[in-house]
């Protein structure tokens, strides 16, 4: 979900345990974060800082949650924005916004006594698509250039360690300059969950709901091929609404089945097997 307006939450409440499935994404991300936390080791070894991590995958799979959990895990200030916030601006304004974003992140960290800040840019493809292409024009180029300048300027010797996390579901259209070493050189794939992942997401989103003993979450996970985490959250909510409307005290299996149909129709989900 795109964040409307950049947020200045100190430390977000999402933990890695609140994210269902995505085991390999979590593991890869945590490994990178553990590395970043060892600032003395990094300096001692003369290692180049990890400046950017790109989360790549379809909508609603938990990329924003992962970024928030990363901030919590590293005790970092979290600043979220979206590529869409840089569009429709006068020349130079996008670039200025990027500069301010980095400045703000550092200042917030200092103000709250944190050593690190994470900047999260959702929909990075909007400002970072291949330069000189139809989707891109001069103003975006300036904005993208400024982002690259800011990232190139980050150093392990800075008093506040800054990490830029970005999310995209269009990695194919990203300007290669963004993916070069020292920029978004770590790519974490965040795919649609398989059955096991869907089951743990369903467990998380039904934990606060009165489920009938006959509810078979495993079967629901089986029947929700191609559902994202966001779809599954919606499904659990719709099932609860069906139960409430009916005056049922518990949410029953058939409420989930009805909700599956509703989500599929509402989203016009394409459930054909992947090529
Ligand atoms: P977008 O690409 O649309 O920005 P996203 O990948 O950033 O999507 P999130 O914003 O992290 O997705 O997820 C949206 C909502 O879907 C979450 O607030 C949560 O309720 C649910 N959700 C998505 N993925 C998961 C997951 N793996 N575990 C638990 N809940 C999830």
């Amino acid at each position: 979900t795109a964040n409307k307006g950049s947020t200045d939450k100190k430390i977000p409440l999402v933990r890695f345990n609140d994210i269902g499935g995505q085991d390999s994404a979590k593991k890869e991300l945590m490994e990178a974060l553990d590395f970043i936390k060892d600032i003395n080791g990094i300096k001692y070894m003369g290692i180049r800082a990890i400046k950017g991590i790109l989360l790549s995958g379809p909508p609603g799979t938990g990329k924003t949650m992962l970024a928030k959990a990363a901030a919590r895990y590293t005790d970092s200030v979290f600043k979220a924005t979206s590529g869409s916030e840089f569009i429709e601006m006068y020349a130079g304004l996008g670039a200025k916004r990027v500069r301010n974003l980095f400045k703000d992140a550092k200042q917030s960290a200092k103000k709250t006594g944190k050593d690190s800040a994470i900047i999260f840019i959702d929909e990075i493809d909007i400002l970072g698509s291949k330069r000189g292409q139809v989707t891109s024009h001069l103003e975006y180029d300036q904005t993208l250039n400024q982002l690259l300048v800011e990232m190139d300027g980050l150093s392990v010797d800075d008093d506040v360690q800054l990490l830029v996390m970005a999310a995209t579901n269009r990695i194919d259209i990203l300007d290669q300059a963004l993916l070069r070493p020292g920029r978004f050189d770590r790519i974490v794939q965040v795919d649609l969950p398989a059955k096991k992942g869907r089951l743990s997401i369903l467990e998380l989103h039904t934990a606060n709901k009165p489920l009938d003993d006959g509810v078979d979450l495993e079967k629901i996970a089986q029947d929700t091929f191609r559902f994202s985490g966001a779809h599954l959250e919606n499904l659990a909510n719709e099932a609860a609404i069906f139960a409430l409307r009916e005056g049922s005290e518990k949410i029953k299996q058939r409420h989930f089945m009805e909700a599956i149909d509703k989500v599929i129709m509402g989203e016009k989900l394409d459930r054909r097997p992947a090529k």
Side-chain angles (χ1 to χ4, degrees), residues 154-175:
L154 300 177
S155 150
V156 282
D157 296 319
D158 293 345
D159 45 359
V160 172
Q161 295 299 306
L162 255 177
L163 173 67
V164 188
M165 294 184 70
T168 184
N169 41 45
R170 290 301 311 277
I171 195 171
D172 55 307
I173 61 165
L174 281 192
D175 194 311

Side-chain angles (χ1 to χ4, degrees), residues 14-45:
V14 178
R15 294 165 193 268
F16 281 115
N17 280 341
D18 302 325
I19 303 171
Q22 302 302 353
D23 294 346
S24 64
K26 282 196 244 178
K27 180 164 173 279
E28 262 177 69
L29 186 54
M30 278 197 250
E31 269 168 17
L33 298 172
D34 285 337
F35 172 80
I36 291 170
K37 286 208 271 190
D38 184 14
I39 187 75
N40 291 328
I42 290 175
K43 282 187 187 170
Y44 177 74
M45 289 291 172

Side-chain angles (χ1 to χ4, degrees), residues 106-149:
K106 277 181 202 160
Q107 276 171 356
S108 303
K110 280 189 192 157
K111 248 194 280 169
T112 50
K114 304 286 177 208
D115 301 327
S116 52
I118 291 182
I119 290 176
F120 175 63
I121 308 175
D122 204 357
E123 305 179 285
I124 182 94
D125 41 280
I126 291 178
L127 73 97
S129 54
K130 292 183 178 103
R131 282 171 287 192
Q133 294 219 341
V134 235
T135 48
S136 159
H137 64 66
L138 188 65
E139 168 54 8
Y140 295 179
D141 294 353
Q142 285 183 20
T143 308
L144 174 58
N145 282 336
Q146 190 59 38
L147 177 64
L148 299 177
V149 166

Side-chain angles (χ1 to χ4, degrees), residues 149-264:
V149 166
E150 296 290 343
M151 289 182 77
D152 289 347
L154 300 177
S155 150
V156 282
D157 296 319
D158 293 345
D159 45 359
V160 172
Q161 295 299 306
L162 255 177
L163 173 67
V164 188
M165 294 184 70
T168 184
N169 41 45
R170 290 301 311 277
I171 195 171
D172 55 307
I173 61 165
L174 281 192
D175 194 311
Q176 287 303 307
L178 272 171
L179 305 176
R180 254 179 240 143
R183 291 167 181 173
F184 293 99
D185 51 7
R186 301 284 160 127
I187 297 171
V188 174
Q189 194 60 41
V190 191
D191 287 317
L192 287 174
K195 188 187 156 197
K196 193 166 152 263
R198 293 197 297 271
L199 178 59
S200 51
I201 296 170
L202 283 165
E203 281 165 355
L204 283 167
H205 286 290
T206 54
N208 65 344
K209 295 182 167 60
L211 298 190
D212 182 76
D213 286 343
V215 168
D216 183 353
L217 289 182
E218 182 113 23
K219 162 94 166 73
I220 299 166
Q222 177 80 48
D223 289 352
T224 45
F225 176 65
R226 291 235 148 179
F227 275 48
S228 67
H231 291 138
L232 293 166
E233 188 275 335
N234 191 17
L235 167 67
N237 196 56
E238 290 294 342
I241 291 172
F242 280 129
L244 184 66
R245 241 187 235 151
E246 230 183 70
S248 170
E249 255 176 50
K250 303 263 170 153
I251 309 172
K252 300 188 172 142
Q253 185 73 4
R254 64 184 163 78
H255 297 133
F256 280 99
M257 293 300 147
E258 275 177 70
I260 289 176
D261 290 340
K262 177 155 189 204
V263 173
I264 292 172

